[in-house]
């Protein structure tokens, strides 16, 4: 049971066993991940936090099968993905994983609905169904009035909503978001986080997110802290400060 | 993996996205294919007209003709001046050849030259005495009027058929109907009964074009002129005696035309041993040799043009490589959204093949344009064969496949991580 009483089934979508990643450039070996063990359960909202350069993006890319670990096993819905062919990996990326990037990464020459359709194109979804589903998704992220627009005609927040719709288009098992609010102002960031929150709480979408923003702490069911390439459960200083702030604010509110 | 339709839609979309660049990229292929098509059309045109010329002699015939023997040295020419020159094929030759195996009909021609008056002006036209079958054998047609009748031959009638170019030389413009008019030839008057048109007027060696001659029945020619003719020597004419100028010898079984030709050659060598005053041509042999050399010509011309296609292909490869570097982020995003390496490879390959195929289509139009212009301005015939069009399309698509595979492979091999991190 999480603080707001949400039920999380005991069903691991992701299980990482001793994941290590060492970058080799010339004679230099840079160990980035030094043995990560973690799980993500269905319906969970997991936050990866850690200082810059601690390997959060590296871990997220491994989860998204864009990168391969140097050692360790990655089980996705019980299947070890390390031994799969490029075709099988691509199919899993397409069907099971929704990517959301800091810089949106929409195609500027496609309309918003065409952008949302791209994963369905690779999933061989028939044209009619594609179109219908992309219209549904645009409505779901609150941009029904932006049909036919190009990403260049949209604000940053609107672009990220389209990217979220795109990530959801094949009904993935989970969503991977790498600092999705990194390019947005505070107000827009909050709105986007609210959308993620709703998707998770109302529609049960599993989300794995990397952010710097300590204010997002309360949204997460589970926080995985990366420190020096390892998982370390002791909270960061700024987390404690943030928590103190929040407690203070609540106390003041209660006093009034 | 994408559906086939999506591949095509995506490629077309990307090409239209950069119209100017796409056009510039395919220019190499456009000009390459254009020059291949034009070259093939020109050499095909040359081949067909050369072959038609040979075919007009008749592939079922052996052509034997009289040739003025080379005059060797001054002494001989001065010696010959005293006696009348006599050379060429004779009626003895004709009957001897006719007796050989595998020989059918022999159609003969005898040329002579007489002063002919146009008003009071003297023109110099050749007369051609010919056998009845000559019209059929030479594959000429009557533009107007009729050919000689058997009774014209029997009665040695002074009738003539004029070549279509002769009309202009003998009559003033505007004289509409000249059939039935007469021509004065020396002391004789000939009535014009027809106008002859031969597309391959010059097909026989040594005798000149029929469209520029006056044709008369062989029997009439013999009766009037015997075997006398006049040959031009500088400004003067000399009287000489040549019985026949040309034999069109029909062969019964063309499969052994070689042997028959050899036999005729041996006979002539033996019976004209003093001077070489004859020649022989086997159109079927010429045809086969011609076909061979023309095919080599076509291959050489096509290959030279093909080099520009290779240059065009290398240009495309270059631009596609730059294009892929520019679009490496797009590739990374597509991979993250579920594209296989194969999807990326096919996307860029199909894009390149699209580019070269469309370039090929435009190139074909360009080639036809160039060919038509050449025909229009120089009169050289150009012929576009179906296989040259198909070849152009296949080659242009192949160019896309050959020069598009490497860039497409590079695109597919790009690591999506490095691509996505490069922000
Ligand atoms: N291709 C690479 N080669 C070498 N080092 C790399 C490469 N990619 C990332 N790194 C290093 O790995 C570390 C972790 O990077 P990253 O996962 O992006 O951190 P984060 O997202 O937590 O800021 C950084 O020190 C970075 O310099
Ligand atoms: Mg990062």
């Amino acid at each position: 049971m999480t603080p707001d009483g949400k039920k999380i089934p005991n069903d691991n979508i992701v299980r990482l066993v001793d994941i290590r990643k060492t970058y080799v450039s010339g004679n230099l070996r840079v160990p980035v991940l030094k043995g990560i063990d973690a799980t993500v359960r269905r319906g969970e909202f997991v936050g990866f936090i850690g200082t810059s350069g601690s390997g959060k993006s590296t871990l997220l890319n491994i989860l998204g099968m864009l990168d391969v670990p140097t050692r360790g096993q990655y089980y996705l819905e019980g299947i070890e993905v390390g031994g799969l062919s490029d075709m099988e990996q691509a199919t899993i990326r397409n069907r099971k994983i929704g990517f959301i990037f800091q810089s949106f990464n929409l195609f500027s020459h496609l309309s918003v609905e065409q952008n949302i359709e791209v994963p369905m194109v690779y999933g061989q979804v028939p044209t009619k169904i594609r179109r219908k589903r992309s219209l549904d998704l645009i409505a779901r992220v609150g941009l029904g009035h932006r049909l036919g627009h190009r990403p260049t005609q949209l604000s940053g927040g609107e672009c990220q909503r389209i990217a979220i719709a795109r990530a959801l288009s094949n009904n993935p098992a989970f969503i991977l978001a790498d600092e999705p609010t990194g390019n947005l102002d505070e107000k827009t960031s909050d709105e986007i986080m609210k959308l993620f929150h709703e998707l998770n709480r109302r529609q049960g979408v599993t989300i794995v997110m990397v952010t710097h923003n300590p204010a997002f702490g309360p949204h997460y069911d589970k926080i995985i802290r990366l420190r020096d390439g390892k998982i370390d459960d002791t909270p960061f200083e700024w987390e404690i400060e943030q928590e103190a702030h929040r407690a203070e604010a609540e106390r003041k509110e209660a006093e009034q | 993996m994408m559906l086939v339709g999506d591949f095509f839609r995506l490629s077309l979309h990307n090409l239209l996205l950069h119209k100017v660049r796409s056009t510039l990229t395919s220019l190499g292929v456009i000009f390459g294919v254009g020059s291949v098509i034009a070259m093939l059309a020109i050499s095909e045109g040359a081949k067909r007209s050369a072959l038609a010329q040979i075919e007009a002699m008749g592939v079922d015939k052996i052509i034997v003709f009289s040739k003025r023997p080379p005059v060797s040295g001054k002494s001989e020419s001065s010696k010959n001046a005293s006696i009348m020159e006599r050379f060429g094929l004779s009626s003895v030759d004709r009957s001897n050849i006719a007796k050989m195996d595998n020989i059918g009909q022999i159609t003969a021609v005898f040329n002579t030259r007489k002063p002919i008056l146009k008003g009071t002006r003297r023109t110099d036209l050749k007369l051609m005495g010919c056998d009845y079958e000559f019209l059929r054998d030479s594959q000429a047609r009557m533009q107007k009027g009729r050919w000689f009748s058997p009774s014209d031959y029997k009665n040695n009638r002074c009738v003539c058929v004029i070549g279509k170019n002769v009309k202009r030389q003998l009559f003033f413009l505007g004289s509409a109907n000249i059939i039935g008019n007469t021509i004065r030839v020396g002391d004789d008057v000939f009535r014009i009964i027809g106008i002859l048109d031969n597309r391959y007027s010059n097909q026989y060696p040594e005798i000149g074009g029929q469209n520029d001659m006056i044709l008369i029945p062989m029997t009439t020619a013999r009766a009037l002129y015997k075997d006398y003719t006049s040959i031009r020597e500088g400004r003067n004419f000399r009287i000489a005696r040549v019985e026949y100028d040309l034999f069109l010898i029909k062969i019964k079984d063309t499969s052994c035309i070689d042997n028959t030709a050899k036999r005729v050659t041996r006979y002539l060598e033996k019976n004209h041993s003093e001077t070489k005053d004859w020649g022989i041509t086997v159109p079927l042999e010429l045809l086969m040799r011609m076909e061979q050399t023309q095919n080599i010509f076509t291959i050489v011309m096509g290959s030279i043009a093909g080099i520009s296609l290779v240059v065009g292909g290398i240009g495309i490869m270059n631009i596609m490589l730059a294009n892929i570097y520019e679009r490496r982020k797009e590739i990374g995003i597509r991979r993250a959204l579920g594209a296989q390496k194969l999807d990326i490879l096919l996307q860029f390959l199909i894009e390149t093949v699209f580019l070269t195929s469309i370039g090929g289509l435009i190139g074909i139009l360009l080639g036809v344009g160039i060919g038509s212009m050449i025909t229009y301005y120089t009169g050289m015939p150009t012929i576009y064969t179906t296989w040259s069009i198909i070849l152009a399309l296949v080659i242009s698509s192949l160019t896309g496949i050959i020069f598009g595979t490497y860039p497409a492979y590079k695109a597919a091999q790009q690591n999506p991580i490095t691509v996505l991190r490069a922000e």
Side-chain angles (χ1 to χ4, degrees):
Chain A
M1 286 288 215
T2 56
D4 32 314
K6 191 181 78 168
K7 254 202 190 135
I8 295 173
N10 194 5
D11 172 9
N12 284 343
I13 291 182
V14 169
R15 190 157 70 87
L16 299 177
V17 181
D18 195 30
I19 292 286
R20 289 162 192 271
K21 180 75 184 179
T22 303
Y23 286 110
V24 182
S25 46
N27 290 334
L28 214 64
R29 296 169 56 84
V30 186
V32 176
L33 301 177
K34 304 172 182 169
I36 304 286
D37 294 279
T39 54
V40 176
R41 282 187 288 175
R42 198 174 298 282
E44 231 176 3
F45 196 156
V46 178
F48 279 161
I49 60 176
T51 49
S52 178
S54 60
K56 305 182 296 291
S57 294
T58 306
L59 188 56
L60 210 72
N61 287 331
I62 289 172
L63 282 173
M65 293 189 299
L66 291 174
D67 207 349
V68 281
T70 317
R71 277 181 59 188
Q73 288 87 49
Y74 168 17
Y75 297 93
L76 203 161
E77 293 188 329
I79 298 166
E80 226 261 67
V81 300
L84 299 179
S85 68
D86 174 68
M87 188 175 110
E88 291 165 322
Q89 292 197 3
T91 307
I92 292 179
R93 265 203 302 273
N94 184 242
R95 305 277 159 86
K96 303 281 182 196
I97 304 174
F99 272 98
I100 292 163
F101 307 91
Q102 179 176 348
S103 52
F104 324 132
N105 283 342
L106 298 173
F107 294 124
S108 58
H109 51 87
L110 296 181
S111 67
V112 292
E113 55 271 35
Q114 284 171 325
N115 264 289
I116 294 170
E117 284 178 37
V118 173
M120 295 190 273
V121 168
Y122 287 109
Q124 300 193 341
V125 177
T127 320
K128 269 188 195 157
I129 300 177
R130 245 187 248 171
R131 184 45 50 109
K132 191 180 165 298
R133 224 190 274 169
S134 81
L135 295 182
D136 284 352
L137 285 162
I138 291 177
R140 245 164 90 185
V141 298
L143 288 180
H145 58 293
R146 289 300 203 181
L147 277 183
H149 282 69
R150 296 285 154 113
T152 43
Q153 297 167 307
L154 305 184
S155 71
E158 288 174 322
C159 280
Q160 199 58 299
R161 281 168 191 270
I162 295 299
I164 292 168
R166 180 176 70 180
L168 291 170
S169 67
N170 276 340
N171 269 321
F174 62 102
I175 278 185
L176 293 175
D178 195 348
E179 307 201 25
T181 60
N183 278 0
L184 304 175
D185 61 44
E186 201 178 327
K187 188 167 157 285
T188 319
S189 295
D190 288 342
E191 282 168 17
I192 293 292
M193 278 312 285
K194 236 172 88 191
L195 179 59
F196 275 117
H197 191 88
E198 267 171 33
L199 287 173
N200 177 255
R201 297 296 137 111
R202 298 241 182 92
Q203 290 161 39
V205 180
T206 312
I207 302 172
V208 177
M209 183 182 288
V210 166
T211 58
H212 267 117
N213 197 333
F216 297 160
H219 290 296
Y220 302 136
D221 298 318
K222 180 161 82 191
I223 293 176
I224 295 177
R225 294 176 185 81
L226 279 180
R227 203 178 260 129
D228 195 23
K230 282 189 182 147
I231 292 178
D232 183 344
D233 284 334
T234 49
F236 289 98
E237 243 169 66
W238 40 264
E239 272 185 276
I240 297 163
E241 266 171 38
Q242 182 71 28
E243 187 54 33
H245 265 296
R246 215 169 51 83
E248 177 83 358
E250 261 174 29
R251 195 175 49 80
K252 271 185 185 163
E253 217 169 281
E255 273 174 12
Q256 275 168 7
Chain B
M1 178 91 172
M2 277 204 280
L3 296 166
V4 179
D6 286 316
F7 271 121
F8 286 108
R9 218 168 301 151
L10 178 61
S11 304
L12 201 61
H13 175 90
N14 281 326
L15 292 181
L16 293 178
L17 207 59
H18 309 283
K19 288 190 195 70
V20 176
R21 182 162 74 187
S22 301
T23 314
L24 288 177
T25 309
S26 48
L27 271 186
V29 171
I30 292 175
F31 284 113
V33 168
S35 53
V36 167
I37 287 287
M39 288 284 199
L40 291 180
I42 291 166
S43 67
E44 187 65 27
K47 177 176 157 185
R48 294 271 181 93
S49 63
L51 294 184
Q53 192 81 27
I54 295 171
E55 247 171 292
M57 286 196 269
V59 289
D60 58 345
K61 293 191 183 67
I62 294 174
I63 314 285
V64 176
F65 51 93
S66 294
K67 211 166 72 181
R68 197 178 173 205
V71 190
S72 48
K74 292 174 227 154
S75 58
E76 218 174 323
S77 82
S78 55
K79 192 176 75 190
N80 280 357
S82 52
I83 41 162
M84 190 172 297
E85 202 179 338
R86 183 171 195 166
F87 63 89
L89 305 167
S90 67
S91 47
V92 179
D93 295 330
R94 182 177 185 167
S95 59
N96 280 334
I97 292 171
K99 271 183 243 151
M100 292 179 187
D101 268 358
N102 200 21
I103 300 287
Q105 164 102 45
I106 298 178
T107 304
V109 166
F110 158 65
N111 271 2
T112 187
R113 187 183 254 119
K114 292 283 165 195
I116 293 166
L117 293 177
K118 172 186 184 180
T120 53
R121 217 182 80 215
R122 196 186 137 151
T123 64
D124 174 42
L125 283 163
K126 271 180 163 179
L127 287 175
M128 184 180 208
C130 35
D131 282 347
Y132 175 72
E133 293 80 8
F134 184 73
L135 178 71
R136 185 198 64 204
D137 286 354
S138 66
Q139 299 178 31
R141 61 177 197 96
M142 297 306 296
Q143 195 182 62
K144 244 183 193 165
R146 64 169 179 89
W147 181 247
F148 311 117
S149 67
S151 91
D152 291 333
Y153 280 90
K154 222 165 93 193
N155 301 313
N156 301 348
R157 284 204 189 107
C158 285
V159 287
C160 68
V161 166
I162 62 172
K164 65 172 180 180
N165 299 340
V166 173
K167 181 183 165 187
R168 235 184 298 134
Q169 293 181 51
L170 283 185
F171 297 92
F172 298 102
L173 280 172
S175 13
N177 194 10
I178 57 160
I179 305 281
N181 280 14
T182 53
I183 310 172
R184 267 188 77 93
V185 180
D187 297 330
D188 309 297
V189 176
F190 284 80
R191 190 164 50 87
I192 300 171
I193 60 166
I195 300 173
L196 180 106
D197 177 14
N198 189 337
R199 276 184 66 197
Y200 308 101
S201 167
N202 252 319
Q203 77 253 58
Y204 302 117
E206 300 288 328
I207 64 165
Q210 298 137 48
N211 289 344
D212 300 293
M213 292 205 222
I214 296 169
L215 286 73
I216 57 175
M218 182 65 93
T219 50
T220 312
R222 280 281 179 259
L224 293 177
Y225 313 119
K226 297 207 179 72
D227 57 355
Y228 289 101
T229 184
S230 65
I231 44 181
R232 194 195 278 267
E233 203 160 67
R235 275 221 211 118
N236 304 316
F237 290 95
R238 289 182 46 174
I239 304 292
R241 299 181 68 177
V242 179
E243 207 172 339
Y244 287 109
D245 284 86
L246 187 72
F247 291 155
L248 306 178
I249 306 167
K250 179 119 166 39
I251 302 302
K252 284 179 184 155
D253 175 9
T254 50
S255 65
C256 44
I257 196 165
D258 284 10
N259 287 330
T260 310
K262 269 184 203 135
R263 208 172 309 125
V264 173
T265 308
R266 269 199 304 276
Y267 164 80
L268 289 168
E269 276 167 351
K270 212 173 119 204
N271 289 274
H272 295 245
S273 53
E274 278 166 37
T275 50
K276 175 95 158 84
D277 58 353
W278 55 275
I280 185 167
T281 297
V282 184
L284 189 64
E285 260 176 24
L286 276 185
L287 195 75
M288 291 192 292
R289 224 176 312 145
M290 189 74 186
E291 232 156 25
Q292 257 175 23
T293 46
Q294 282 294 338
N295 285 346
I296 293 168
F297 181 65
T298 304
I299 290 169
V300 170
M301 294 260 279
S303 308
I304 290 170
I307 289 171
S308 61
L309 209 55
V310 173
V311 174
I314 292 170
I316 284 190
M317 183 155 86
N318 233 325
I319 293 172
M320 283 313 284
L321 282 173
N323 187 7
I324 281 159
Y325 182 75
E326 217 173 85
R327 284 162 63 183
R328 63 200 191 283
K329 183 145 184 206
E330 175 196 330
I331 296 167
I333 300 168
R334 287 186 180 281
R335 290 292 300 280
L337 298 181
Q340 298 172 31
K341 284 181 182 174
L342 190 61
D343 280 310
I344 302 295
L345 187 128
L346 288 177
Q347 177 188 334
F348 284 97
L349 189 58
I350 289 172
E351 214 175 295
T352 318
V353 173
F354 239 40
L355 208 59
T356 56
S357 303
I358 293 170
L361 279 177
I362 299 172
I364 289 171
L365 295 181
L366 180 73
V368 172
I370 294 172
S372 312
M373 261 177 35
I374 288 172
T375 306
Y376 183 80
Y377 285 110
T378 69
M380 258 157 72
T382 44
I383 290 166
Y384 308 93
T385 55
T386 320
W387 76 262
S388 76
I389 304 282
I390 293 170
L391 183 80
L393 283 177
V394 169
I395 285 185
S396 55
S397 319
L398 268 182
T399 308
I401 292 173
I402 292 168
F403 294 99
T405 301
Y406 176 67
Y409 174 79
K410 287 273 275 191
Q413 289 307 317
Q414 279 195 13
N415 187 347
I417 289 296
T418 35
V419 162
L420 285 176
R421 275 188 197 267
E423 289 189 351

